[in-house]
Amino acid sequence: MGKSNKPTILSHCLDEDIVISGISGRYPEADSTDEFAHNLYNGIDMITEDNRRWPTDLFGMNSRMGKLKNIDKFDGLFFGIINTMSDIIDPQSRMALETTYEAIIDAGINPQTLRGSDTGVYIGFSSFGMPDGAPEDVQPDSQSNMTETLMWLPGSQKCLYANRVSFVFDFHGPSMIIDTACSSSLVALNAAVNDMRLGKCRQAIVGGTQICLQPFSNQIFQSTRLNALDGIPKVWDEKADGFVRGETVCCLLLQSKSNAKRIYATVLNSGVNIDGNKRMGMFYPSAESQEELMIKVYEEADVDPLEVNYFEAHATGTKVGDQVEAKAIYNAYCGKPKRNGTLNVGLLKSNIGHAECASGLSSVTKVLLAFENEMLPRNLHLNNIKANIKEFCPPLNPILANTKYTPGIAGVNNFGVGGVNANCLLEPNYKVCDENSLKIADTIPRIVNICCRTQHALNTVFNFIESNPQKITRDFLALLAETMRIEPSVNSSGFPYRGSMIIKQLANNQYEYKKQSAMFTIKTQRPLYFLFPGLGGQWVGMAKALMPIKIFADKIDECHENSMSNMTNKFCATTAIEIALCDVINVLGITPDGIIGHSFGEIAAAYADGCLNTREAMFVTYYRGLVTESDKKIPKGLMAVAGLSWAEAKRLCPKG
C-alpha cells in the first residue's frame, strides 16, 4: 500500500511551554482573586456560620462552611441566554460562564477573537447520585409543568457545565466534565495540558466548580464524622477531626508561551495516577502512590526536587489523609533527595475549607497569588502539629505567619476519595517590574478607554485605576486596551456603558484623573471619518508634545528625509503632522469608514487611503506649496531631488 499523506497527530504536537495567562474565580467571602488574596494575607477565616444555604439548625448540623457570597444573580442576556433559561440553569454553570469570560479578559484577550477557535474546555466537577433540583412531579396534562420539566433537563445536566461554555463562546476544541472526586479540577488541568501538547487545541479553559446546594450531603458527612464537629478545619493540628466543606468556582486560561500576552506561571509538568488495589480498602489514601506520582512529575520535567521551594498540600484535616500526604511530600522532596533546608508548605483548606472537586485549582490560584505578591499567606487553626506529622517537620515547614517569598518552582498536590491522585509543578514568571513600568503618563497624558455592562462596573474600573497606582503599569494598561476593543457578541446585549479616563502626571509624581462616561444607546456603530484640513490652523511648535510617541516621531523623521532644503516649510510641516497622526491612529487599530480631505488636506487624505506613500506625499506637498506661492509649474530639477522619474511626476501632478 502507498504511504498516506495524512499527517499524524504527533506532527501537530506543541513543542513549547504551556503557561497560565488568565485567572478568575469566586471563593468563600471573595468575589474575585483580588479579594481572595486580601482575605488570605489578612488571615481572615473565610468559613462562616450563617443561613445562606439553609437554616442554621437544620438536622442539628453545624452550619459552619466556606460559602460564596452571591449565587443567585446572573446576567443571562449578556451571554445571549433568555431569561426563562437563565432562571433554570444551575448556579455553577452560570459562574463557569462568568469566570471563563473574566479569565480570558484577565489574559488581555478580547473573547470575541477566540470565536471559532479550537479552544478546549475542561471542567472539574463531582456530584452525588441523587438528582438535585428535579421537579417533584411530571404532569403531562399541564403545559407549564411540562415546560419547567423540559427546561430542567438542559439547565441541570452536569456535562453542560463545559458544553455550555463552548457553545456560548463558540469554542470548537474538546469540551468535557471530569469527575474524580476531590482531585477533579487538577485532573482537568492535566487533561488540558496533555491535549495542548498533542495539538488537540491551541488554548484551554480549565475550571473547577463546587457549590453546596443540598443539605443531605452535609448531613451525611457530619453523621459519619468525616466533617469536623466544631466546623473548624484544624489542618495538620493534633486536634484535627475532619474537614469543613467550602465552595469555589474558578477558572484558568492555558496558552502556549509564544501566544500569551500575560504569564502568571509556566506549567512545567503535571501527572495523574491511581492507588489501585489497597489492603486498607479503596478509600484509604496511599502515601506510596502519591510519592511515586510526585517523583514522576518532577523527573519527567527534569526538575531537581531541591529547587522546589514551596508546596501546596491537599491537606483536608482528616486523621488519615494528612499524615499519609505529609509522608509522601517528605519522601519525594526531602528524604530521598536529602534536602538540607526546609520546604515551605501551604494548607489552603485551613482558610477556606475543602472545595472538593475545585480544591486543586483553588490551590493553584493560591500559588499564583504567592508568586505575584512574593509572599506566602499563613495557614490558620494550626497550634500544635500532630505527632505523626511532626516527625517530618522540619524539613517540612507549614507557614504560620505571612512569609516573604522569593518565587521559585512550586508543587501542588490533590487526591480523591476513589484513589485518583493529581500533581503539578509551576514555575513563576521571573519578569520583574521596574520603576519604568509605572511611568504611564510621564511624557504625555494617557487616555484609557473603558466599556462596561453597567455604570457601577464602569465606576469600579475607574476607582480601581485611581486607587491602585502601584498596580497600574504599562503592561496592565496595554492588556486593558486590548480587551476594551469590544464588538457586540452574537445574541448578546454587549457593553452599553462607555467611559474614558485621562491620566496626567503632576509635578510631584502624583496623577490627576479626569473621567467621563455615557451610555451608548444606538444599536449600530456610528461611522468614523478622518478629516484632513488645509492650511490656516498651524502654529509654531505645533505637535511638539507628540514627539515622545515613537511612531509619530519616526514618521516626522521620515518626512524630513524626504523633503528638500528649500521647501515651503508650512506646507510640508502640516502634511508631515497629518500623516504622522494617521500612522498613530492606524496602530491603535482604528479604521475609518471614510476619509475627507479639504483643500491642502487632500494630500494627507490620499496618503491615508493608500494612494500615496510618504515620499510621494511629501513631493506633492512641496510642489503644491510652490504653485500656491508663485504659480510655477513643476521644475525638472525638483524631480531629481525627489528621486522621481518624469512619468512618476506626471502621475502625481498631471496638471504640472
Side-chain angles (χ1 to χ4, degrees):
M1 294 180 63
K3 191 174 182 179
S4 173
N5 292 324
K6 186 176 181 180
T8 64
I9 188 65
L10 293 179
S11 67
H12 301 291
C13 286
L14 181 66
D15 189 23
E16 65 171 297
D17 291 338
I18 296 173
V19 302
I20 300 172
S21 59
I23 57 175
S24 175
R26 312 282 186 269
Y27 311 88
E29 308 308 312
D31 286 334
S32 66
T33 52
D34 279 347
E35 193 173 3
F36 182 41
H38 174 271
N39 292 347
L40 286 174
Y41 288 114
N42 285 278
I44 295 175
D45 187 349
M46 289 174 263
I47 298 171
T48 57
E49 184 174 2
D50 53 53
N51 62 354
R52 239 179 291 175
R53 294 292 172 270
W54 44 77
T56 55
D57 59 350
L58 185 65
F59 304 146
M61 295 186 298
N62 189 315
S63 64
R64 276 181 58 83
M65 189 168 69
K67 296 178 282 291
L68 303 188
K69 284 185 175 182
N70 301 293
I71 65 170
D72 59 334
K73 295 178 173 60
F74 178 61
D75 187 358
L77 292 179
F78 173 72
F79 294 102
I81 300 173
I82 61 174
N83 289 333
T84 306
M85 178 59 76
S86 294
D87 294 340
I88 298 296
I89 294 175
D90 188 315
Q92 298 182 84
S93 188
R94 300 175 183 176
M95 290 188 179
L97 292 173
E98 293 173 342
T99 54
T100 294
Y101 190 95
E102 292 168 3
I104 296 171
I105 289 289
D106 188 57
I109 300 171
N110 183 339
Q112 295 296 343
T113 64
L114 296 182
R115 296 189 70 85
S117 69
D118 61 356
T119 302
V121 180
Y122 307 79
I123 305 292
F125 170 78
S126 186
S127 64
F128 294 91
M130 180 180 292
D132 50 355
E136 293 183 2
D137 297 296
V138 178
Q139 303 171 21
D141 58 342
S142 170
Q143 183 61 46
S144 61
N145 179 268
M146 289 302 295
T147 300
E148 179 184 351
T149 302
L150 290 172
M151 285 291 192
W152 172 82
L153 183 64
S156 301
Q157 273 192 300
K158 308 312 177 188
C159 67
L160 299 185
Y161 287 180
N163 301 162
R164 184 171 282 113
V165 169
S166 299
F167 169 77
V168 168
F169 292 92
D170 193 21
F171 297 152
H172 292 204
S175 183
M176 65 190 73
I177 284 286
I178 292 178
D179 186 353
T180 58
C182 304
S183 57
S184 297
S185 61
L186 210 61
V187 172
L189 175 70
N190 178 74
V193 168
N194 287 341
D195 275 1
M196 287 183 66
R197 286 174 173 169
L198 289 172
K200 305 283 188 179
C201 54
R202 288 179 177 82
Q203 54 270 324
I205 292 292
V206 182
T209 174
Q210 165 76 9
I211 303 180
C212 303
L213 298 174
Q214 295 293 339
F216 82 90
S217 56
N218 275 42
Q219 183 186 22
I220 292 173
F221 286 148
Q222 292 195 18
S223 299
T224 55
R225 299 296 178 89
L226 289 171
N227 275 13
L229 292 177
D230 57 4
I232 299 175
K234 301 170 285 292
V235 182
W236 279 25
D237 190 85
E238 62 180 6
K239 295 183 179 180
D241 59 346
F243 65 89
V244 177
R245 303 191 82 188
E247 300 178 337
T248 290
V249 179
C250 57
C251 182
L252 307 176
L253 176 64
L254 302 185
Q255 292 183 281
S256 59
K257 187 174 183 178
S258 62
N259 290 330
K261 299 176 181 177
R262 180 181 214 166
I263 298 176
Y264 284 102
T266 300
V267 183
L268 295 178
N269 198 20
S270 64
V272 172
N273 73 359
I274 191 168
D275 299 341
N277 186 278
K278 296 167 286 190
R279 182 176 63 85
M280 297 297 292
M282 180 178 180
F283 307 124
Y284 198 98
S286 168
E288 291 75 18
S289 291
Q290 292 184 44
E291 176 189 332
E292 288 173 5
L293 180 61
M294 293 174 192
I295 293 174
K296 181 181 180 181
V297 167
Y298 66 63
E299 285 185 346
E300 285 181 349
D302 196 23
V303 169
D304 183 346
L306 299 181
E307 293 181 5
V308 176
N309 65 358
Y310 180 59
F311 197 93
E312 187 63 38
H314 184 67
T316 61
T318 56
K319 293 181 179 180
V320 174
D322 286 2
Q323 186 271 337
V324 164
E325 183 187 24
K327 179 181 178 182
I329 299 170
Y330 170 80
N331 287 341
Y333 285 96
C334 301
K336 291 184 177 180
K338 296 181 171 50
R339 184 181 292 266
N340 291 323
T342 59
L343 175 61
N344 293 321
V345 177
L347 311 168
L348 176 60
K349 294 169 186 63
S350 68
N351 307 82
I352 68 171
H354 185 9
E356 300 173 38
C357 49
S359 62
L361 286 198
S362 299
S363 295
V364 170
T365 302
K366 179 186 173 184
V367 171
L368 300 181
L369 293 174
F371 286 166
E372 188 175 23
N373 293 278
E374 299 186 356
M375 182 77 68
L376 299 176
R378 69 187 181 97
N379 309 306
L380 303 181
H381 313 303
L382 179 54
N383 299 312
N384 297 298
I385 301 176
K386 63 195 310 181
N388 57 6
I389 293 179
K390 194 170 185 178
E391 62 179 300
F392 306 123
C393 304
L396 300 186
N397 178 43
I399 303 299
L400 302 180
N402 290 349
T403 303
K404 186 69 177 174
Y405 174 55
T406 301
I409 298 175
V412 177
N413 194 49
N414 220 201
F415 57 92
V417 67
V420 177
N421 308 301
N423 189 268
C424 72
L425 285 177
L426 306 172
E427 184 176 34
N429 180 4
Y430 293 109
K431 179 181 178 181
V432 178
C433 291
D434 55 27
E435 59 182 12
N436 291 325
S437 300
L438 296 172
K439 293 180 179 180
I440 59 173
D442 55 324
T443 54
I444 60 174
R446 178 186 288 265
I447 185 169
V448 180
N449 294 316
I450 303 165
C451 50
C452 291
R453 191 78 178 92
T454 63
Q455 184 66 48
H456 174 73
L458 193 63
N459 293 336
T460 298
V461 178
F462 280 153
N463 293 335
F464 179 82
I465 293 175
E466 194 167 351
S467 304
N468 297 273
Q470 74 284 357
K471 293 184 177 181
I472 309 305
T473 63
R474 292 179 176 179
D475 288 344
F476 172 85
L477 292 178
L479 293 172
L480 181 64
E482 181 63 29
T483 61
M484 290 299 112
R485 299 168 188 251
I486 294 298
E487 296 179 4
S489 305
V490 176
N491 301 322
S492 169
S493 46
F495 290 96
Y497 288 85
R498 311 295 172 89
S500 62
M501 171 183 278
I502 297 178
I503 306 175
K504 182 179 181 181
Q505 184 170 323
L506 304 178
N508 56 357
N509 287 328
Q510 299 297 309
Y511 290 112
E512 175 186 75
Y513 302 92
K514 293 183 179 180
K515 297 166 284 187
Q516 64 176 3
S517 61
M519 184 176 180
F520 189 65
T521 57
I522 303 175
K523 294 297 183 181
T524 57
Q525 191 173 13
R526 292 190 296 179
L528 172 68
Y529 283 81
F530 286 177
L531 174 59
F532 296 93
L535 290 180
Q538 70 279 357
W539 66 90
V540 177
M542 180 172 65
K544 182 179 180 182
L546 296 176
M547 290 301 288
I549 301 176
K550 187 176 187 302
I551 297 169
F552 184 87
D554 288 347
K555 180 57 66 174
I556 294 296
D557 287 342
E558 184 182 355
C559 291
H560 177 70
E561 292 174 0
N562 284 281
S563 63
M564 284 61 68
S565 59
N566 60 343
M567 72 170 68
T568 306
N569 293 330
K570 61 182 180 180
F571 285 87
C572 290
T574 300
T575 298
I577 290 172
E578 288 182 348
I579 67 176
L581 279 172
C582 183
D583 278 11
V584 172
I585 294 173
N586 284 335
V587 169
L588 294 175
I590 300 173
T591 303
D593 296 286
I595 300 170
I596 301 173
H598 169 250
S599 182
F600 189 80
E602 292 175 352
I603 300 172
Y607 172 84
D609 201 30
C611 298
L612 301 178
N613 61 30
T614 302
R615 185 171 69 93
E616 293 169 343
M618 294 310 296
F619 171 77
V620 176
T621 298
Y622 178 73
Y623 172 68
R624 179 69 178 270
L626 289 181
V627 171
T628 301
E629 288 187 355
S630 58
D631 195 28
K632 292 180 180 179
K633 292 187 178 181
I634 181 170
K636 292 186 178 180
L638 179 58
M639 295 186 298
V641 175
L644 298 174
S645 67
W646 176 251
E648 287 178 303
K650 290 290 289 182
R651 178 177 66 83
L652 296 175
C653 307
K655 294 182 181 180

